[in-house]
């Protein structure tokens, strides 16, 4: 029997400035068997990544947040771990992500998104490890 593709479990860190979106992401991913940390805003997200980075398999990152934009959070995460797997979740056009892709962004999901698309994208990233 093949090992489960998610073992050992990796944490998913979701960073957004909207609590409702974080709650939906957390509930959806936990229903699918993922362990999820949520961070309300950029600064809390960076702090959680600094504390738990080695456990985190994928970062789901909003772009427009009042305390810091997603590209700056992305830079902070990549300074801690140049191989960090970050997927941008945003209502902005994909042009905002171009420079981030050049620096190693793993994916872009346009808001609003289907929860199945989010689950599948997270699974893809974890299965590439």
């Amino acid at each position: 029997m093949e090992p489960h593709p998610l073992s050992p479990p990796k944490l998913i860190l979701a960073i957004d400035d909207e609590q409702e979106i974080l709650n939906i992401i957390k509930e959806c991913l936990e229903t699918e068997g993922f362990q999820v940390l949520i961070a309300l805003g950029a600064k809390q997200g960076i702090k959680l990544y600094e504390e738990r980075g080695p456990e985190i398999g994928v970062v789901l990152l909003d772009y427009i947040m009042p305390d810091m934009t997603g590209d700056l959070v992305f830079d902070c995460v990549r300074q801690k771990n140049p191989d960090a797997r970050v997927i941008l979740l945003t209502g902005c056009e994909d042009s905002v992500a171009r420079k981030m892709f050049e620096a190693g962004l793993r994916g872009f999901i346009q808001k609003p998104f289907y929860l199945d698309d989010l689950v599948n994208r997270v699974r893809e990233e974890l299965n590439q490890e």
Side-chain angles (χ1 to χ4, degrees):
M1 182 171 180
E2 287 186 37
H4 191 277
L6 296 179
S7 12
K10 286 280 192 173
L11 284 173
I12 308 304
L13 173 59
I15 306 170
D16 202 299
D17 63 318
E18 295 182 53
Q19 187 67 52
E20 186 173 323
I21 290 173
L22 289 170
N23 292 344
I24 290 168
I25 289 171
K26 182 175 174 66
E27 182 179 332
C28 170
L29 291 176
E30 285 182 344
T31 298
E32 295 294 322
F34 297 99
Q35 296 176 358
V36 182
L37 291 173
I38 57 173
L40 187 59
K43 291 178 183 172
Q44 186 181 23
I46 291 168
K47 184 176 187 286
L48 276 172
Y49 195 83
E50 287 172 349
E51 293 170 358
R52 312 250 339 240
E55 301 168 69
I56 295 171
V58 176
V59 177
L60 303 174
L61 177 61
D62 186 21
Y63 187 81
I64 298 176
M65 296 179 279
D67 55 345
M68 189 183 299
T69 56
D71 55 338
L72 297 176
V73 177
F74 176 74
D75 290 344
C76 290
V77 166
R78 297 287 288 197
Q79 284 175 4
K80 294 285 177 195
N81 176 6
D83 297 321
R85 297 170 182 269
V86 180
I87 299 171
L88 190 65
L89 306 176
T90 185
C92 294
E93 294 184 24
D94 62 357
S95 61
V96 302
R98 281 196 187 113
K99 283 186 181 178
M100 294 171 68
F101 272 112
E102 291 170 12
L105 183 70
R106 300 295 295 222
F108 171 86
I109 299 175
Q110 181 79 38
K111 286 181 182 176
F113 52 84
Y114 292 104
L115 294 174
D116 284 346
D117 292 341
L118 177 66
V119 169
N120 290 335
R121 190 65 187 93
V122 167
R123 248 190 214 121
E124 285 173 17
E125 279 307 316
L126 291 175
N127 286 335
Q128 290 179 20
E129 291 186 333

